[in-house]
């Protein structure tokens, strides 16, 4: 594996399969991995709020016997109190790995560039690789396969969408994306991921048609709060509700990275239905991230 995990695009298919195999082992037998990070320290540098990413990394590091240091927005003031380069060089002298949640993707890239230790992207404005890996692991766990699975991503062409694009194309998932006009995924990522251009549209009904899995995320991501009201109107036809979900396969699964807004991107009825696997998805963040840490630290 590369030194860092910045994007799923950094991983080969073999490396992803290796992470998934290790994840299954860790999930089955937690205690067998209890001392793997003994004597090691990992810092979480977070510029944005978090529930799942922060808690699953902290608990995961603790379960592996390691030490975790949370550095929230007020602590390091990445790039404000000190340059990203100096933070990276300093922390490399103390730590064994860094997990970073930033506004600018370039800040994660710079942390990785200037640090001697692995840097894991815990969400930037461009990608959310830990989420994408946990999501694909969850689909495999539920459906027993990934190849040919029809995954419909409906909503904003954002960081979560981008990671699903990279991962789906590598693993043979048939990903269809529908966004409002002007909210399509990043063009460079579209090109790099190799997703067929015909799989991206502005038609949620078409994208959800015969889907095995329906996926959505918030309409306004962290950092886009000022656009939230305006987006509610622009995205209103992209809500996952019973009318739209009726176009999917009968036993479709519903996924959401969370946090969710009932009544906006998804109706309460769908989010709380038997189709919804959002908390299995959230749980798998823990297991997958433990596997990522061990893989990057070559343990
Ligand atoms: N899905 C996810 O990353 O959640 P948090 O923002 O709560 O970490
Ligand atoms: N797209 C969302 C994901 C949150 C986990 C955001 O960036 O806020």
């Amino acid at each position: 594996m590369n030194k860092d995990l910045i994007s799923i695009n950094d991983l080969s298919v073999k490396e992803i399969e290796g992470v998934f195999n290790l994840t299954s082992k860790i999930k089955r037998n937690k205690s067998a991995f209890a001392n793997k990070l003994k004597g090691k320290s990992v810092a979480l540098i977070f510029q944005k709020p978090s529930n799942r990413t922060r808690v699953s990394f902290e608990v995961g590091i603790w379960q592996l016997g390691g030490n975790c240091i949370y550095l929230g927005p007020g602590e390091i003031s990445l790039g404000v109190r000190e340059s990203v380069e100096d933070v990276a060089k300093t922390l490399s002298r103390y730590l064994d790995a860094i997990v970073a949640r930033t506004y600018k993707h370039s800040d994660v890239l710079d942390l990785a560039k200037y640090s001697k230790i692995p840097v894991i992207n815990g969400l930037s404005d461009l990608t959310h690789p830990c989420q994408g890996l946990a999501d694909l692991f969850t689909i495999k766990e539920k459906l027993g396969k990934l190849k040919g699975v029809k995954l419909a991503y409906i909503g904003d062409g954002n960081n979560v969408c981008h990671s699903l694009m990279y991962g789906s194309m590598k693993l043979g998932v048939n990903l269809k994306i529908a966004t409002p006009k002007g909210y399509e995924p990043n063009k460079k990522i579209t090109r790099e991921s190799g997703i067929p251009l015909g799989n991206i549209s502005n038609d949620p009904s078409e994208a959800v048609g015969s889907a095995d899995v329906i996926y959505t995320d918030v309409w306004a991501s962290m950092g886009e709060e000022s656009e939230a009201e305006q987006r509610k109107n622009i995205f209103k036809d992209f809500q996952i509700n019973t009318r739209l979900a009726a176009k999917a396969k009968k036993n479709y699964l519903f996924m959401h990275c969370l946090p969710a807004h009932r009544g906006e991107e998804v109706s309460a009825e769908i989010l709380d239905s038997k189709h919804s696997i959002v908390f299995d998805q959230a749980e798998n963040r823990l297991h997958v991230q433990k596997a990522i840490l061990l893989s990057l630290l070559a343990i």
Side-chain angles (χ1 to χ4, degrees), residues 4-289:
D4 312 291
L5 175 58
I6 306 298
S7 159
I8 296 181
N9 203 33
D10 301 339
L11 300 172
S12 67
V13 173
K14 222 173 147 195
E15 285 167 339
I16 299 176
E17 285 168 357
V19 168
F20 286 180
N21 288 338
L22 184 55
T23 302
S24 300
K25 285 186 193 143
I26 292 171
K27 192 170 176 176
R28 265 199 312 272
N29 188 1
K30 186 169 86 178
S31 55
F33 297 84
N35 285 314
K36 296 285 185 188
L37 287 189
K38 194 158 186 266
K40 301 212 185 287
S41 293
V42 180
L44 268 50
I45 304 178
F46 275 37
Q47 292 184 325
K48 292 171 173 170
S50 170
N51 171 4
R52 282 144 290 272
T53 309
R54 177 183 174 178
V55 178
S56 58
F57 264 111
E58 285 209 27
V59 170
I61 291 160
W62 180 81
Q63 287 177 353
L64 292 167
N67 173 44
C68 180
I69 304 166
Y70 176 73
L71 299 165
E75 264 130 334
I76 288 209
S77 299
L78 196 67
V80 179
R81 182 168 181 264
E82 206 169 1
S83 70
V84 176
E85 178 173 347
D86 289 356
V87 169
K89 287 180 174 169
T90 304
L91 291 181
S92 297
R93 304 289 179 112
Y94 307 137
L95 298 165
D96 298 283
I98 293 171
V99 180
R101 168 166 286 200
T102 64
Y103 285 95
K104 291 189 293 185
H105 188 70
S106 59
D107 281 347
V108 189
L109 288 173
D110 283 346
L111 271 176
K113 178 172 167 194
Y114 294 111
S115 68
K116 291 204 172 350
I117 54 177
V119 172
I120 299 171
N121 179 358
L123 180 149
S124 70
D125 57 359
L126 202 63
T127 59
H128 195 3
C130 299
Q131 182 72 54
L133 289 170
D135 295 340
L136 292 164
F137 177 85
T138 306
I139 295 174
K140 192 168 178 211
E141 202 177 38
K142 295 284 176 193
L143 300 180
K145 61 172 186 172
L146 285 169
K147 271 204 175 57
V149 166
K150 190 174 170 203
L151 169 61
Y153 177 92
I154 310 298
D156 188 23
N158 63 14
N159 44 9
V160 169
C161 177
H162 293 153
S163 290
L164 288 172
M165 287 164 73
Y166 282 133
S168 296
M169 290 309 108
K170 281 179 188 281
L171 300 175
V173 172
N174 179 12
L175 174 64
K176 298 252 179 157
I177 298 170
T179 73
K181 277 201 173 59
Y183 294 87
E184 291 86 358
N186 175 287
K187 288 207 164 49
K188 182 164 172 266
I189 293 181
T190 301
R191 218 174 28 249
E192 269 178 12
S193 69
I195 186 168
L197 291 183
N199 285 22
I200 303 177
S201 78
N202 307 114
D203 183 350
S205 298
E206 196 265 334
V208 169
S210 317
D212 298 293
V213 185
I214 307 175
Y215 197 120
T216 193
D217 184 14
V218 291
W219 290 339
S221 286
M222 290 180 277
E224 296 169 342
E225 288 81 2
S226 64
E227 295 177 33
E229 276 313 305
Q230 182 198 356
R231 284 182 180 228
K232 275 184 198 166
N233 191 37
I234 296 169
F235 281 76
K236 64 180 186 317
D237 295 334
F238 292 75
Q239 183 190 72
I240 311 300
N241 49 36
T242 41
R243 188 191 49 79
L244 188 57
K247 303 191 189 300
K249 291 215 177 93
K250 196 162 163 279
N251 294 324
Y252 76 91
L253 300 173
F254 173 74
M255 298 180 79
H256 191 310
C257 57
L258 305 179
H261 300 115
R262 288 172 176 79
E264 292 183 29
E265 73 275 5
V266 58
S267 67
E269 208 178 353
I270 296 285
L271 188 74
D272 302 320
S273 72
K274 65 177 191 332
H275 296 278
S276 177
I277 55 166
V278 298
F279 299 109
D280 296 323
Q281 212 183 326
E283 179 189 328
N284 281 334
R285 294 288 305 278
L286 170 69
H287 309 300
V288 168
Q289 287 161 193

